[in-house]
């Protein structure tokens, strides 16, 4: 930790194999997918005047001789090795309201139809503005505006590079409103409204 900064990191080796619809053998390189990845993070909850910040960078490379395909493609480079800026955001809060603006993850609990998926090597992220308020007892109110995102996919599904942040809703962006209530014991009620002008992808 230095001057309020906290640093952390993750190293991941990901391997997956399948039988290629019966045409290939399990564990052969031509029927397998894999990556080795490193993720580095730095966060500061009070950079200045109550404003916090966070940065996260990811690097991925293939697993040669083990897998001919990859679960995530970092860039459009031919060697399929490289990195991208996965998070870069500012935070601020007062009372029971918090703000987070920039490239960030979105939690499934509060954004059930557009969230950061953890099934792959590294989660996808969004360029977004997020406001969360908890003034009402047992209730969380959320507003989010999402402008761009990268996409979680595997090497067999027409992989889009992870550093390619497209505008999934063209020039209009997407607005999201969520109300979550936990007044009833052992029961969480969540209602979400999305305003999406166009669900296409402008690359």
């Amino acid at each position: 930790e230095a001057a309020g900064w906290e640093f952390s990191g993750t190293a991941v080796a990901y391997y997956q194999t399948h039988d290629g619809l019966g045409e290939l053998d399990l564990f052969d390189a031509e029927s397998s997918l894999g990556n080795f990845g490193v993720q580095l993070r730095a966060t500061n909850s009070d950079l200045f005047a109550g404003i916090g910040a966070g940065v996260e960078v990811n690097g991925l490379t293939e697993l040669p001789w083990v897998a001919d395909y990859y679960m995530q493609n970092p860039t459009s480079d031919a060697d399929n090795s490289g990195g991208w800026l996965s998070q870069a955001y500012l935070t601020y809060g007062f009372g029971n309201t918090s703000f987070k603006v920039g490239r960030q993850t979105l939690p499934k609990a509060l954004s059930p139809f557009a969230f950061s998926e953890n099934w792959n090597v590294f989660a996808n992220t969004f360029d977004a503005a997020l406001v969360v308020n908890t003034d009402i007892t047992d209730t969380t109110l959320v507003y989010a505006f999402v402008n761009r995102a990268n996409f979680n996919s595997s090497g067999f599904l027409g992989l889009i590079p992870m550093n390619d942040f497209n505008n999934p809703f063209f020039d209009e962006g997407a607005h999201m409103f969520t109300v979550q209530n936990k007044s009833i014991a052992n029961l969480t009620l969540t209602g979400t409204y999305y305003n999406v002008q166009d669900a296409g992808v402008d690359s």
Side-chain angles (χ1 to χ4, degrees):
E1 184 173 336
W5 286 96
E6 295 183 3
F7 301 93
S8 60
T10 304
V12 178
Y14 189 113
Y15 176 79
Q16 176 178 317
T17 188
H18 69 102
D19 66 358
L21 301 178
E23 299 175 2
L24 300 171
D25 292 329
L26 288 173
F27 305 110
D28 278 356
E30 61 180 339
S31 60
S32 301
L33 304 89
N35 282 104
F36 174 76
V38 175
Q39 185 177 80
L40 302 175
R41 293 175 294 273
T43 60
N44 191 322
S45 60
D46 189 4
L47 190 61
F48 63 91
I51 297 175
V55 178
E56 181 182 82
V57 293
N58 295 345
L60 281 178
T61 188
E62 298 174 281
L63 292 179
W65 307 294
V66 175
D68 286 349
Y69 300 93
Y70 38 83
M71 286 303 300
Q72 285 183 326
N73 181 18
T75 69
S76 58
D77 294 340
D79 63 1
N80 301 316
S81 297
W84 72 99
L85 181 67
S86 54
Q87 294 197 72
Y89 59 81
L90 296 175
T91 61
Y92 184 74
F94 62 89
N96 294 317
T97 302
S98 64
F99 299 85
K100 188 175 184 179
V101 179
R103 186 163 297 177
Q104 60 186 279
T105 59
L106 291 180
K108 183 178 181 180
L110 299 177
S111 180
F113 296 115
F115 58 91
S116 297
E117 303 168 2
N118 293 311
W119 62 269
N120 213 329
V121 186
F122 294 127
N124 56 307
T125 53
F126 301 82
D127 288 346
L130 181 69
V131 183
V132 179
N133 178 271
T134 56
D135 278 325
I136 304 173
T137 303
D138 297 324
T139 300
T140 301
L141 304 177
V142 183
Y143 165 74
F145 173 75
V146 179
N147 185 37
R148 300 192 307 164
N150 59 0
F151 300 90
N152 226 339
S153 58
S154 75
F156 288 119
L157 298 176
L159 200 64
I160 299 173
M162 292 298 289
N163 72 333
D164 186 4
F165 278 76
N166 296 304
N167 188 336
F169 310 109
F170 294 99
D171 296 330
E172 303 298 330
H175 300 272
M176 185 206 74
F177 302 88
T178 292
V179 179
Q180 186 175 87
N181 184 270
K182 297 182 179 180
S183 298
I184 304 174
N186 302 316
L187 178 65
T188 299
L189 299 175
T190 304
T192 301
Y193 170 78
Y194 289 90
N195 185 332
V196 180
Q197 297 299 317
D198 197 322
V201 176
D202 181 9
S203 60

